[in-house]
């Protein structure tokens, strides 16, 4: 039997900030805006907010309470409660392992843009095709990803996360201010394109905030739901073991309910603001057609905004990308730390050796994913209709496919095997209040399993095929 982890957070603030440091990353600033844009803005927003308050709350509570009550990381936690469920811990471990393969690639892109702005190349970065040319070139993206990964691995190798966390306490608030500032600036933009159409930032804000239900079909709604749910998992770092590990570090006198609400609030706030900065600006410069750009959205739209600021744009752009770089780094460190600390426990090996091995394996995998844009280029249509390259396929497997499966199994485990009471007892330890006790029980027993099962089949594309098979000819599903 393994030793229980020692509580290492001295206060609830320490826990909230560390959890938020893992949660706030490229998911909020890069992934959320491009999904919101692709799924039509307001509608996605509405669905996402609904999910945060229901599923986000339930899944985060489950992960953190399991971690604190067992004192174990995900790999060992499930098995320590019921040995037959040990497989779930192992399945959960797969998610950060898959995310690791592509997170560093995006980290490399951000590093590149930070360097470009620090070198004052604001106009070049804003040119159409600049991003595409960069990611499809054969050497440069690999060099940047390796540097990003080396920094991450070094932090984990040297065990200096504490230093990084202290640093991120300073960087995070500044990043937030910059996002708000750039967001407000984006609302003042106005641009007339080649065909004489003028679009303004405020019109873009309307697209972002007001849901448009025209042409909405059931299958389109399910696809938005799946995107939003995948984003929720990714953004909150739930159903991937991270929050179980963090939960195991939290002391018993910390009120989990309050801390969980604060982590959710912070994470969602940053995502909403990042959307407010990116979506109106992409709308101004590229219209609604530009909104389907996908993963490249942030790298194409923001440079245009920075370029429109004149010389100041170089400074603002550099500061922005440097800060996003830190947000990405704190998240990537938390992913690698999960892999390293789990492998250390399994093999009873020392940190330095394990970090080295995981660092090398991650580098090999990330280089392969990175080559998905040149040597290994292919176009694959995902069940949600998006055309995908290797990076998107990995992202889809972890967020849209594996996570609903893990959330489904976890909910069955908690709701029906150990019963919600098991979680509730942990939430109420030392007289703490768990106001949403009943709501939690209903969610974990009924709502989460049903919706996750539907989403899991939706993610495999089977649901759409079945619907098409049973629907009378000519019906729009
Ligand atoms: N939640 C992080 C983000 O939004 O960027 C990403 C992340 C961190 C994913 C940690 C997975 C993880 F284990």
């Amino acid at each position: 039997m393994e030793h229980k982890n020692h509580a290492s957070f001295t206060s609830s603030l320490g826990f909230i900030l560390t959890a938020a440091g893992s949660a706030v990353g490229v998911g909020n600033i890069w992934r959320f805006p491009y999904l919101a844009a692709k799924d039509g803005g307001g509608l996605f927003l509405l669905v996402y907010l609904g999910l945060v308050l229901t599923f986000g709350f339930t899944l985060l509570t489950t992960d953190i309470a399991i971690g604190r009550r067992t004192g174990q990381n995900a790999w060992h936690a499930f098995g320590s409660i019921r040995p037959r469920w040990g497989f779930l811990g192992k399945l959960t471990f797969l998610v950060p392992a898959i995310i690791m393969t592509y997170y560093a690639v995006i980290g490399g892109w951000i590093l590149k843009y930070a360097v470009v702005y620090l070198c004052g190349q604001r106009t070049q970065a804003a040119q159409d095709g600049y991003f595409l040319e960069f990611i499809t070139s054969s050497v440069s993206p690999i060099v940047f990803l390796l540097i990003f990964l080396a920094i991450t691995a070094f932090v984990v190798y040297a065990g200096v996360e504490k230093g990084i966390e202290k640093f991120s306490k300073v960087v995070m608030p500044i990043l937030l201010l910059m996002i708000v500032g750039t967001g407000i600036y984006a609302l003042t933009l106005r641009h007339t394109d080649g065909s004489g159409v003028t679009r303004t930032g405020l019109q873009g804000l309307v697209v972002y905030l007001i849901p448009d239900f025209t042409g909405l079909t059931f299958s389109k709604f399910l696809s938005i739901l799946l995107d939003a749910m995948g984003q929720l998992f990714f953004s909150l770092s739930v159903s991937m073991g991270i929050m179980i590990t963090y939960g195991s570090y939290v002391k018993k006198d910390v009120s989990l309910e309050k801390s969980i609400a604060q982590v959710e609030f912070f994470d969602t706030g940053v995502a909403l603001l990042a959307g407010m900065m990116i979506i109106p600006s992409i709308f101004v410069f590229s219209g609604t057609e530009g909104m389907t750009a996908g993963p490249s959205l942030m790298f194409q739209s923001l440079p245009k905004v920075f370029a429109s600021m004149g010389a100041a744009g170089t400074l603002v752009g550099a500061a922005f990308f440097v800060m996003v770089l830190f947000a990405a780094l704190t998240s990537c460190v938390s992913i690698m730390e999960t892999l390293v600390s789990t492998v250390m426990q399994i093999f009873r090996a020392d940190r330095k050796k394990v970090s080295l091995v995981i660092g090398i394996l991650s580098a090999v995998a990330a280089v392969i994913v990175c080559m998905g844009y040149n040597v290994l280029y292919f176009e694959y249509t995902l069940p949600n209709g998006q055309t995908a390259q290797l990076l998107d396929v990995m992202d889809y497997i972890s967020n849209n496919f594996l996570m609903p499966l893990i959330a489904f199994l976890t909910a069955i485990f908690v709701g029906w095997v150990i019963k919600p009471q098991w979680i509730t007892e942990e939430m109420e330890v030392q007289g703490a209040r768990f106001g949403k006790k009943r709501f939690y029980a209903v969610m974990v027993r009924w709502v989460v399993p049903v919706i996750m099962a539907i989403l899991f089949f939706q993610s495999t594309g089977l649901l759409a095929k079945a619907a098409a098979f049973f629907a009378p000819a000519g019906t729009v599903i």
Side-chain angles (χ1 to χ4, degrees), residues 22-28 96 99 103 231 233-237 240 242 267 331-332 334-335 338 403:
S22 163
V24 175
V26 301
N28 307 63
I99 292 181
Y103 208 85
Q231 173 61 17
F233 289 122
F234 186 82
S235 189
L236 282 177
S237 313
M240 55 179 86
I242 278 211
D267 188 64
S331 296
C332 201
S334 80
I335 305 174
T338 304
M403 289 191 200

Side-chain angles (χ1 to χ4, degrees), residues 122 181-182 185-186 189 302-314 316-317:
R122 135 181 71 87
T182 317
Y185 177 78
L189 291 170
L302 279 184
K304 293 209 164 102
V305 179
F306 296 142
S308 77
M309 291 175 175
T314 303
V316 179

